[in-house]
Amino acid sequence: MTNAVIGPDQRALCDHLRSARFQAGVDAGRWRLISITWPHALIAISAAPRKGAPEEFVLRFELSGYPASAPTGCPWDVGQDAILLAGQRPKGSRVGHIFRPDWEGGRALYAPWDRLALAHGGWADKYPMYAWNARRDLSFYLTNVHDALNNDDYLGI
Amino acid sequence: MEIYVHTAGSEEPELIEIDGAALVRELLVIGQGQGAELVMIEAVAEPIDLDITIEEAGIRRRDHVHRGRCRRIDVRVRYNGDKSHEFHPVATIRKVFEWATGSGGFNLTPEQKAEHVLAVPGADHFLDWEVRIGSLATAGSCDVVLDLAPKSRFEG
């Protein structure tokens, strides 16, 4: 990724992708960058092993205005280049709720670190430990998703 | 080569470029050293000799090292009461969590364990599993206090 003729949001993302926090996650196998076609980025996040379930789930991020504006991540089927179908989404009490397909057509995660969900009235105040703000970075988002996908209540798909 | 350096007083690590032939003591001052006096790695219980090279110390590309002033960190976790335990500074929050929720700690059920996480009191985020406990030590102290807190289920 070059810094030639790019906006401050894309530059901020590039800087973060080089950061120790993001790179440590890559080295630990927690997530990996697949591609960037600004303002979108495909990032795969690893999941705990479950019978019949994939080793990772992909989010297609829209990152306009990053980091002042929160990222929004759409569960994505890379092979189909389309939104991930309900039957292919992670199941489990907490993670299933975060990846719920019945809210906004399933095009964002139902969690206060996501731009669309954060638009819920009062979520920033109700869930301050999880809510996005301009001091966060993409690894904050990825860490929360990785935690949900590796929790004991994750059941597979 | 690049290595991850975790520093007391800074939750986030730095990814530092350093020659494998450099002395370990150079790790004390490169980047944001914050007055560190010793360097530790997970595989060795005691601080590394500062006058051997990075390679001689067994530090490899993108290994994690800690620098600070404490050989051990006394961790106190608050939940229903307090429990304390001593950890190597390079121990991860995952390791502290396993102790805090296990039989030596608050002995949570698997279901309870899945619903909790650790946080620094007053912080605006929960601790990442990969944070090294030594990085949470503040100046002049080898003690760390953490809260075992419930995760939220988001309802709108």
Side-chain angles (χ1 to χ4, degrees):
Chain A
M1 222 172 159
T2 70
N3 281 340
V5 198
I6 63 174
D9 46 6
Q10 189 176 359
R11 189 175 306 118
L13 178 72
C14 290
D15 289 346
H16 178 63
L17 295 179
R18 287 191 292 266
S19 72
R21 191 174 183 205
F22 182 85
Q23 289 296 316
V26 174
D27 287 338
R30 301 171 80 193
W31 50 71
R32 64 185 178 91
L33 174 67
I34 297 173
S35 64
I36 298 177
T37 306
W38 190 257
H40 296 102
L42 290 178
I43 297 179
I45 304 158
S46 66
R50 298 289 187 268
K51 191 175 180 181
E55 295 178 347
E56 59 186 20
F57 290 88
V58 175
L59 293 177
R60 182 176 186 259
F61 286 99
E62 203 284 333
L63 293 148
S64 299
Y66 175 87
S69 180
T72 180
C74 177
W76 201 251
D77 183 329
V78 175
Q80 298 295 319
D81 196 26
I83 190 168
L84 191 65
L85 298 175
Q88 300 298 311
R89 295 188 176 218
K91 305 297 187 299
S93 174
R94 188 165 185 274
V95 71
H97 195 59
I98 292 170
F99 278 78
R100 57 187 289 189
D102 61 341
W103 177 77
E104 289 285 338
R107 64 190 175 100
L109 298 190
Y110 195 70
W113 53 77
D114 189 280
R115 186 193 310 158
L116 265 62
L118 190 58
H120 273 91
W123 270 26
D125 293 329
K126 190 174 180 182
Y127 305 114
M129 300 290 272
Y130 297 99
W132 183 271
N133 60 56
R135 297 183 304 280
R136 311 287 199 198
D137 59 37
L138 190 59
S139 291
F140 172 77
Y141 193 122
L142 297 173
T143 295
N144 278 297
V145 178
H146 182 270
D147 177 57
L149 289 170
N150 288 269
N151 212 22
D152 286 348
D153 70 352
Y154 164 56
L155 302 173
I157 59 175
Chain B
M1 65 178 165
E2 290 180 321
I3 56 175
Y4 294 102
V5 178
H6 301 257
T7 307
S10 179
E11 190 176 317
E12 301 291 332
E14 296 171 82
L15 186 56
I16 282 174
E17 178 77 31
I18 192 166
D19 194 319
L23 295 179
V24 170
R25 70 169 56 253
E26 290 191 30
L27 289 172
L28 297 177
V29 295
I30 193 169
Q32 304 296 315
Q34 303 192 36
E37 296 173 350
L38 50 84
V39 174
M40 300 185 77
I41 57 176
E42 192 167 20
V44 183
E46 296 302 317
I48 304 173
D49 182 345
L50 297 176
D51 293 316
I52 61 175
T53 68
I54 300 284
E55 288 173 346
E56 288 170 340
I59 299 169
R60 302 289 178 253
R61 177 183 176 276
R62 296 217 169 186
D63 275 356
H64 293 258
V65 306
H66 169 79
R67 60 184 176 186
R69 296 181 177 182
C70 304
R71 292 167 181 258
R72 296 289 180 273
I73 304 295
D74 187 24
V75 180
R76 179 163 64 94
V77 176
R78 307 187 302 191
Y79 183 56
N80 291 327
D82 288 12
K83 298 276 186 181
S84 295
H85 193 70
E86 197 174 74
F87 286 91
H88 190 290
V90 189
T92 62
I93 287 299
R94 169 70 73 186
K95 187 170 184 178
V96 175
F97 179 81
E98 293 298 331
W99 161 76
T101 57
S103 58
F106 295 101
N107 203 24
L108 302 191
T109 66
E111 292 75 21
Q112 291 172 321
K113 188 177 163 185
E115 294 170 356
H116 286 79
V117 70
L118 288 170
V120 173
D124 71 347
H125 60 281
F126 293 117
L127 287 165
D128 187 283
W129 300 118
E130 297 301 314
V131 169
R132 269 49 180 184
I133 192 67
S135 67
L136 301 178
T138 52
S141 173
C142 295
D143 300 335
V144 170
V145 177
L146 300 175
D147 287 338
L148 187 59
K151 295 179 180 176
S152 297
R153 180 182 168 88
F154 311 120
E155 304 288 356

Coordinates of all heavy atoms in Angstrom, one line a residue, chain B residues 41-98:
Chain B
I41 N 12.2 -12.5 28.8 CA 11.5 -13.3 27.7 C 10.8 -14.4 28.4 O 11.1 -14.8 29.5 CB 12.4 -13.8 26.6 CG1 13.5 -14.7 27.2 CG2 13.0 -12.6 25.8 CD1 14.4 -15.3 26.1
E42 N 9.7 -14.9 27.7 CA 8.9 -15.9 28.4 C 9.6 -17.2 28.8 O 9.3 -17.8 29.8 CB 7.7 -16.2 27.4 CG 6.6 -17.0 28.1 CD 5.3 -17.0 27.2 OE1 5.5 -16.7 26.0 OE2 4.2 -17.2 27.7
A43 N 10.6 -17.6 28.0 CA 11.2 -18.9 28.2 C 12.1 -18.9 29.3 O 12.6 -20.0 29.8 CB 11.9 -19.3 26.9
V44 N 12.5 -17.7 29.9 CA 13.5 -17.7 30.9 C 12.9 -16.9 32.1 O 12.3 -15.8 32.0 CB 14.8 -16.9 30.5 CG1 15.8 -16.9 31.5 CG2 15.3 -17.6 29.2
A45 N 13.0 -17.6 33.3 CA 12.4 -17.0 34.5 C 13.0 -15.7 35.0 O 12.3 -14.8 35.5 CB 12.4 -18.0 35.6
E46 N 14.3 -15.6 34.8 CA 15.0 -14.4 35.3 C 15.4 -13.4 34.2 O 15.4 -13.8 33.0 CB 16.3 -14.8 36.1 CG 16.0 -15.7 37.3 CD 15.1 -14.9 38.3 OE1 15.3 -13.7 38.5 OE2 14.1 -15.5 38.8
P47 N 15.8 -12.2 34.5 CA 16.1 -11.2 33.4 C 17.3 -11.7 32.6 O 18.2 -12.5 33.1 CB 16.5 -10.0 34.2 CG 15.8 -10.1 35.5 CD 15.7 -11.6 35.8
I48 N 17.4 -11.3 31.4 CA 18.4 -11.7 30.5 C 19.7 -10.9 30.8 O 19.6 -9.7 31.1 CB 18.0 -11.5 29.0 CG1 16.7 -12.2 28.7 CG2 19.1 -11.9 28.0 CD1 16.2 -11.9 27.3
D49 N 20.8 -11.5 30.6 CA 22.1 -10.8 30.7 C 22.1 -9.7 29.7 O 22.0 -9.9 28.5 CB 23.3 -11.8 30.5 CG 24.6 -11.1 30.6 OD1 24.7 -9.9 30.6 OD2 25.6 -11.9 30.7
L50 N 22.3 -8.4 30.1 CA 22.3 -7.3 29.2 C 23.5 -7.2 28.3 O 23.4 -6.5 27.3 CB 22.2 -6.0 30.0 CG 20.9 -5.8 30.9 CD1 21.0 -4.6 31.7 CD2 19.6 -5.8 30.0
D51 N 24.5 -7.9 28.6 CA 25.8 -7.8 27.8 C 26.0 -9.0 26.9 O 27.1 -9.2 26.4 CB 26.9 -7.6 28.8 CG 26.8 -6.3 29.5 OD1 26.5 -5.3 28.8 OD2 27.1 -6.3 30.7
I52 N 25.0 -9.7 26.6 CA 25.0 -10.7 25.5 C 24.2 -10.1 24.3 O 23.5 -9.1 24.5 CB 24.5 -12.1 25.9 CG1 23.0 -12.0 26.3 CG2 25.3 -12.7 27.0 CD1 22.4 -13.4 26.6
T53 N 24.4 -10.7 23.1 CA 23.6 -10.2 22.0 C 22.2 -10.7 21.9 O 21.8 -11.7 22.6 CB 24.3 -10.6 20.7 OG1 24.2 -12.0 20.5 CG2 25.8 -10.2 20.7
I54 N 21.4 -10.0 21.1 CA 20.0 -10.4 20.9 C 20.0 -11.9 20.5 O 19.2 -12.7 21.0 CB 19.4 -9.6 19.9 CG1 19.4 -8.1 20.2 CG2 18.0 -10.0 19.5 CD1 18.4 -7.6 21.3
E55 N 20.8 -12.3 19.5 CA 20.8 -13.6 19.1 C 21.3 -14.6 20.1 O 20.7 -15.7 20.3 CB 21.7 -13.7 17.8 CG 21.1 -13.1 16.6 CD 22.0 -13.0 15.4 OE1 23.2 -13.3 15.6 OE2 21.5 -12.7 14.3
E56 N 22.3 -14.3 20.9 CA 22.8 -15.1 22.0 C 21.7 -15.3 23.0 O 21.7 -16.4 23.7 CB 24.0 -14.5 22.6 CG 25.3 -14.6 21.7 CD 26.5 -13.8 22.2 OE1 26.2 -12.9 23.1 OE2 27.6 -14.1 21.8
A57 N 20.9 -14.4 23.2 CA 19.8 -14.5 24.2 C 18.6 -15.4 23.7 O 17.7 -15.7 24.4 CB 19.2 -13.1 24.5
G58 N 18.7 -15.8 22.4 CA 17.7 -16.7 21.9 C 16.5 -16.0 21.3 O 15.4 -16.6 21.1
I59 N 16.6 -14.6 21.2 CA 15.5 -13.8 20.7 C 15.5 -13.9 19.2 O 16.5 -13.6 18.5 CB 15.6 -12.4 21.1 CG1 15.6 -12.3 22.7 CG2 14.5 -11.5 20.6 CD1 15.9 -11.0 23.3
R60 N 14.4 -14.3 18.6 CA 14.3 -14.5 17.2 C 13.3 -13.5 16.6 O 12.6 -12.7 17.3 CB 13.7 -15.9 16.8 CG 14.6 -17.0 17.4 CD 15.9 -17.1 16.6 NE 16.8 -18.2 17.2 CZ 17.9 -17.9 17.9 NH1 18.2 -16.7 18.1 NH2 18.6 -18.9 18.3
R61 N 13.2 -13.4 15.3 CA 12.4 -12.5 14.5 C 10.9 -12.5 15.1 O 10.4 -13.6 15.2 CB 12.4 -12.8 13.0 CG 11.5 -11.9 12.2 CD 11.5 -12.3 10.8 NE 10.5 -11.5 10.0 CZ 9.2 -11.8 9.9 NH1 8.7 -12.9 10.5 NH2 8.4 -11.0 9.2
R62 N 10.5 -11.4 15.4 CA 9.1 -11.2 15.9 C 8.7 -11.9 17.2 O 7.6 -12.2 17.4 CB 8.1 -11.5 14.8 CG 8.2 -10.5 13.6 CD 6.9 -10.1 13.0 NE 7.1 -9.0 12.0 CZ 6.1 -8.4 11.4 NH1 4.8 -8.8 11.6 NH2 6.3 -7.4 10.6
D63 N 9.8 -12.2 18.0 CA 9.5 -12.7 19.3 C 9.0 -11.5 20.2 O 9.2 -10.4 19.8 CB 10.8 -13.3 19.9 CG 11.1 -14.7 19.6 OD1 10.2 -15.3 18.9 OD2 12.2 -15.2 19.9
H64 N 8.5 -11.9 21.3 CA 8.0 -10.9 22.2 C 8.9 -10.8 23.4 O 9.3 -11.8 24.0 CB 6.6 -11.2 22.8 CG 5.5 -11.1 21.7 ND1 4.7 -10.1 21.6 CD2 5.2 -12.0 20.7 CE1 3.8 -10.3 20.6 NE2 4.1 -11.4 20.0
V65 N 9.4 -9.6 23.7 CA 10.2 -9.4 24.9 C 9.6 -8.3 25.8 O 8.8 -7.4 25.3 CB 11.7 -9.0 24.6 CG1 12.3 -10.0 23.6 CG2 11.7 -7.6 24.0
H66 N 9.9 -8.3 27.1 CA 9.4 -7.3 28.0 C 10.6 -6.5 28.6 O 11.6 -7.1 28.9 CB 8.6 -8.0 29.1 CG 8.3 -7.1 30.3 ND1 7.3 -6.2 30.2 CD2 8.9 -6.9 31.5 CE1 7.2 -5.5 31.3 NE2 8.2 -5.9 32.1
R67 N 10.4 -5.3 28.8 CA 11.4 -4.5 29.5 C 10.7 -3.6 30.6 O 9.5 -3.1 30.4 CB 12.1 -3.5 28.5 CG 11.3 -2.6 27.8 CD 12.1 -1.8 26.8 NE 11.2 -0.9 26.0 CZ 11.6 -0.1 25.0 NH1 12.9 -0.2 24.6 NH2 10.8 0.6 24.3
G68 N 11.3 -3.6 31.7 CA 10.7 -2.8 32.8 C 11.6 -2.8 34.0 O 12.9 -2.9 33.8
R69 N 11.1 -2.8 35.2 CA 11.9 -2.8 36.4 C 11.5 -3.9 37.4 O 12.2 -4.1 38.4 CB 11.7 -1.5 37.2 CG 12.2 -0.3 36.4 CD 12.1 1.0 37.1 NE 12.6 2.2 36.4 CZ 12.6 3.4 36.8 NH1 12.1 3.7 38.0 NH2 13.1 4.3 36.1
C70 N 10.5 -4.7 37.0 CA 10.0 -5.8 37.9 C 10.4 -7.2 37.4 O 10.1 -7.5 36.2 CB 8.5 -5.6 38.1 SG 8.0 -4.0 38.6
R71 N 10.9 -8.0 38.3 CA 11.1 -9.4 37.9 C 9.8 -10.2 38.0 O 9.7 -11.2 37.4 CB 12.2 -10.0 38.9 CG 13.6 -9.4 38.7 CD 14.5 -9.8 39.9 NE 15.8 -9.2 39.7 CZ 16.8 -9.9 39.3 NH1 16.7 -11.2 39.0 NH2 18.0 -9.3 39.1
R72 N 8.9 -9.8 38.9 CA 7.7 -10.5 39.0 C 6.6 -9.4 39.2 O 6.9 -8.3 39.7 CB 7.6 -11.4 40.2 CG 8.6 -12.6 40.1 CD 8.1 -13.6 39.1 NE 9.0 -14.7 39.1 CZ 10.1 -14.8 38.3 NH1 10.4 -13.8 37.5 NH2 10.9 -15.9 38.3
I73 N 5.4 -9.7 38.8 CA 4.2 -8.8 38.9 C 3.2 -9.4 39.9 O 2.8 -10.6 39.7 CB 3.6 -8.5 37.6 CG1 4.6 -8.0 36.5 CG2 2.4 -7.5 37.8 CD1 5.2 -6.6 36.9
D74 N 2.9 -8.7 40.9 CA 1.9 -9.2 41.9 C 0.5 -8.7 41.4 O 0.2 -7.5 41.4 CB 2.2 -8.6 43.3 CG 1.3 -9.3 44.3 OD1 0.8 -10.4 44.1 OD2 1.0 -8.6 45.4
V75 N -0.3 -9.7 40.9 CA -1.6 -9.3 40.4 C -2.7 -9.6 41.4 O -2.8 -10.7 41.9 CB -1.8 -10.2 39.1 CG1 -3.2 -9.8 38.5 CG2 -0.7 -9.9 38.1
R76 N -3.5 -8.6 41.6 CA -4.7 -8.7 42.4 C -5.9 -8.6 41.6 O -6.1 -7.6 40.9 CB -4.7 -7.7 43.5 CG -5.9 -7.7 44.5 CD -5.6 -7.0 45.8 NE -5.4 -5.5 45.5 CZ -6.4 -4.6 45.6 NH1 -7.6 -5.0 45.9 NH2 -6.2 -3.4 45.4
V77 N -6.8 -9.6 41.6 CA -8.0 -9.6 40.8 C -9.2 -9.4 41.7 O -9.3 -10.1 42.7 CB -8.1 -10.8 39.9 CG1 -9.5 -10.8 39.2 CG2 -7.0 -10.9 38.9
R78 N -10.1 -8.5 41.3 CA -11.3 -8.2 42.1 C -12.5 -8.8 41.4 O -12.7 -8.6 40.2 CB -11.5 -6.7 42.3 CG -10.2 -6.0 42.8 CD -10.5 -4.6 43.1 NE -11.0 -3.8 42.0 CZ -11.0 -2.5 42.0 NH1 -10.6 -1.8 43.1 NH2 -11.5 -1.8 41.0
Y79 N -13.3 -9.6 42.2 CA -14.6 -10.2 41.7 C -15.5 -10.2 42.8 O -16.0 -9.2 43.2 CB -14.2 -11.6 41.0 CG -15.4 -12.2 40.4 CD1 -16.2 -11.6 39.4 CD2 -15.8 -13.5 40.8 CE1 -17.2 -12.3 38.8 CE2 -16.9 -14.2 40.2 CZ -17.6 -13.5 39.2 OH -18.6 -14.2 38.6
N80 N -15.7 -11.4 43.4 CA -16.4 -11.5 44.7 C -15.4 -11.6 45.7 O -15.1 -12.6 46.3 CB -17.4 -12.7 44.7 CG -18.5 -12.5 43.7 OD1 -19.0 -11.4 43.5 ND2 -18.9 -13.6 43.1
G81 N -14.7 -10.5 46.0 CA -13.6 -10.5 46.9 C -12.3 -10.3 46.1 O -12.4 -10.0 44.9
D82 N -11.2 -10.5 46.7 CA -9.9 -10.3 46.0 C -9.1 -11.7 46.0 O -9.1 -12.4 47.0 CB -9.0 -9.3 46.8 CG -9.5 -7.9 46.6 OD1 -10.7 -7.7 46.2 OD2 -8.8 -7.0 47.0
K83 N -8.3 -11.9 45.0 CA -7.4 -13.0 44.9 C -6.1 -12.5 44.3 O -6.1 -11.6 43.4 CB -7.9 -14.1 44.0 CG -9.2 -14.8 44.4 CD -9.0 -15.9 45.4 CE -10.3 -16.6 45.8 NZ -10.1 -17.6 46.8
S84 N -5.0 -12.9 44.8 CA -3.7 -12.4 44.4 C -2.8 -13.5 43.9 O -2.8 -14.7 44.5 CB -3.0 -11.6 45.5 OG -3.7 -10.4 45.8
H85 N -1.9 -13.3 43.0 CA -1.0 -14.3 42.4 C 0.2 -13.5 41.8 O 0.0 -12.4 41.2 CB -1.7 -15.2 41.4 CG -0.9 -16.4 41.1 ND1 -0.7 -17.4 42.0 CD2 -0.3 -16.8 39.9 CE1 0.0 -18.4 41.4 NE2 0.2 -18.0 40.1
E86 N 1.3 -14.2 41.8 CA 2.5 -13.5 41.2 C 2.8 -14.1 39.8 O 2.7 -15.3 39.6 CB 3.7 -13.9 42.1 CG 4.9 -13.0 41.9 CD 6.0 -13.3 42.9 OE1 6.6 -14.4 42.8 OE2 6.2 -12.5 43.8
F87 N 3.1 -13.2 38.9 CA 3.3 -13.7 37.5 C 4.6 -13.1 36.9 O 5.1 -12.0 37.3 CB 2.1 -13.2 36.6 CG 0.9 -13.9 36.7 CD1 -0.1 -13.4 37.7 CD2 0.6 -15.0 36.0 CE1 -1.3 -14.1 37.8 CE2 -0.6 -15.7 36.2 CZ -1.5 -15.3 37.1
H88 N 5.1 -13.9 36.0 CA 6.3 -13.4 35.2 C 5.8 -12.2 34.3 O 4.6 -12.2 33.8 CB 6.7 -14.5 34.2 CG 7.9 -14.3 33.5 ND1 8.0 -13.4 32.5 CD2 9.1 -15.0 33.5 CE1 9.3 -13.5 32.0 NE2 10.0 -14.4 32.6
P89 N 6.5 -11.2 34.2 CA 6.1 -10.0 33.4 C 5.6 -10.3 32.0 O 4.8 -9.5 31.4 CB 7.3 -9.0 33.4 CG 8.1 -9.5 34.6 CD 7.9 -10.9 34.7
V90 N 6.1 -11.3 31.4 CA 5.7 -11.6 30.0 C 4.4 -12.5 29.9 O 3.9 -12.7 28.9 CB 6.9 -12.3 29.3 CG1 6.6 -12.5 27.8 CG2 8.2 -11.6 29.4
A91 N 3.9 -12.8 31.1 CA 2.7 -13.6 31.1 C 1.5 -12.8 30.4 O 1.4 -11.6 30.6 CB 2.3 -14.0 32.5
T92 N 0.8 -13.5 29.6 CA -0.3 -12.9 28.9 C -1.6 -12.7 29.8 O -1.7 -13.4 30.8 CB -0.7 -13.6 27.6 OG1 -1.2 -14.9 28.1 CG2 0.4 -13.8 26.7
I93 N -2.4 -11.8 29.4 CA -3.7 -11.7 30.1 C -4.5 -13.0 30.0 O -5.2 -13.3 31.0 CB -4.5 -10.5 29.5 CG1 -3.9 -9.2 29.9 CG2 -6.0 -10.6 29.9 CD1 -3.8 -8.9 31.4
R94 N -4.4 -13.7 29.0 CA -5.0 -15.1 28.9 C -4.6 -16.0 30.0 O -5.4 -16.6 30.7 CB -4.6 -15.7 27.5 CG -5.0 -17.2 27.4 CD -6.5 -17.4 27.3 NE -7.0 -17.0 26.0 CZ -8.3 -17.1 25.8 NH1 -9.2 -17.4 26.7 NH2 -8.8 -16.7 24.6
K95 N -3.3 -15.9 30.3 CA -2.7 -16.8 31.4 C -3.3 -16.3 32.8 O -3.6 -17.1 33.6 CB -1.2 -16.7 31.4 CG -0.6 -17.7 32.4 CD 0.9 -17.8 32.1 CE 1.6 -18.8 33.0 NZ 3.0 -18.9 32.8
V96 N -3.3 -15.0 32.9 CA -3.9 -14.4 34.2 C -5.3 -14.8 34.3 O -5.8 -15.2 35.4 CB -3.7 -12.9 34.2 CG1 -4.3 -12.3 35.5 CG2 -2.2 -12.5 34.2
F97 N -6.1 -14.7 33.2 CA -7.5 -15.0 33.2 C -7.7 -16.5 33.6 O -8.6 -16.8 34.4 CB -8.1 -14.7 31.8 CG -9.6 -15.0 31.7 CD1 -10.5 -14.1 32.2 CD2 -10.0 -16.2 31.1 CE1 -11.9 -14.4 32.0 CE2 -11.3 -16.5 31.0 CZ -12.3 -15.6 31.4
E98 N -6.9 -17.4 33.0 CA -7.0 -18.8 33.3 C -6.8 -19.1 34.8 O -7.6 -19.9 35.4 CB -6.0 -19.6 32.5 CG -6.3 -19.6 31.0 CD -7.6 -20.2 30.6 OE1 -8.1 -21.1 31.4 OE2 -8.2 -19.8 29.6

